[in-house]
Amino acid sequence: MLTPSRTAACLDTRHTTPCVAGPSRIGAGEAVVIIVIVTLAGALTLRGIPQGQVLQLLAAAGVLSVAVLRSWSLAPLRMARSALATASPA
């Protein structure tokens, strides 16, 4: 017997209860980025870099990874339009 997926159940209009989507899973790209960042932070800590600097590096790496992964999924035209809007003077 086949069990309908959550998505199929959400699309069925006969249900009267609200549809709540489950937690999204991270993809391979996100997992690799997380592993690299955590490994880098551990290596820097072992080398004697102060914790404040390691935290700054983690914050910058997190922001950069989110920006890269989000821009990777955008259509090239939307990404170019967004870059032009950001670069143009206000």
Side-chain angles (χ1 to χ4, degrees):
M1 181 173 166
L2 293 174
T3 306
S5 68
R6 275 190 164 167
T7 306
C10 289
L11 296 176
D12 189 1
T13 58
R14 295 176 292 174
H15 289 254
T16 58
T17 58
C19 182
V20 179
S24 63
R25 295 185 180 184
I26 63 172
E30 291 93 347
V32 168
V33 168
I34 292 169
I35 290 169
V36 167
I37 290 173
V38 170
T39 304
L40 178 64
L44 290 174
T45 303
L46 289 175
R47 295 275 297 164
I49 305 294
Q51 288 181 352
Q53 289 180 351
V54 173
L55 288 175
Q56 288 176 350
L57 179 67
L58 284 174
V63 169
L64 182 62
S65 67
V66 167
V68 167
L69 289 172
R70 293 292 177 207
S71 65
W72 189 271
S73 64
L74 290 177
L77 185 59
R78 285 190 354 208
M79 190 168 50
R81 186 173 54 226
S82 160
L84 287 175
T86 304
S88 67

